[in-house]
């Protein structure tokens, strides 16, 4: 059976951080977080993109309702995130 222990034979400098490299392998090369600002930007971008998709050559309104509903849900989640981040803990 394979051993589950990590073999540490590296002579690389030790960097003290709160992230364990065994749990997050990317911490070894300096990145172990999430791009929260980038994800928020993408959320707003795609909410606007969904609303712009209503301009087209389709004839039914069911597609428009789905686009508006999905974009509205995304905007609700993004605004809720803004409110939660500004609230003191």
């Amino acid at each position: 059976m394979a051993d589950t222990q990590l073999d540490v034979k590296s002579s690389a400098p030790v960097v003290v951080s709160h992230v364990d490299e065994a749990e997050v392998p990317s911490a070894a090369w300096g990145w172990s977080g999430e791009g929260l600002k980038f994800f928020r930007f993408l959320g707003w971008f795609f909410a606007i993109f969904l609303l712009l998709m209503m301009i087209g050559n389709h004839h039914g309104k069911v597609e428009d309702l789905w686009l508006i509903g999905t974009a509205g849900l995304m905007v609700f989640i993004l605004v809720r995130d803004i409110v939660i981040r500004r609230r003191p803990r």
Side-chain angles (χ1 to χ4, degrees), residues 24-60:
V24 184
S26 61
W29 45 271
W31 184 81
S32 62
E34 295 178 353
L36 296 178
K37 288 183 182 180
F38 181 67
F39 293 152
R40 290 181 189 115
F41 167 77
L42 283 180
W44 287 108
F45 174 79
F46 281 109
I48 293 169
F49 179 73
L50 287 173
L51 294 175
L52 289 175
M53 284 178 58
M54 291 187 339
I55 304 169
N57 60 355
H58 58 278
H59 300 289

Side-chain angles (χ1 to χ4, degrees), residues 56-74:
N57 60 355
H58 58 278
H59 300 289
K61 295 299 177 194
V62 175
E63 298 92 349
D64 291 344
L65 295 175
W66 275 100
L67 290 171
I68 292 170
T70 306
L73 178 65
M74 290 176 69

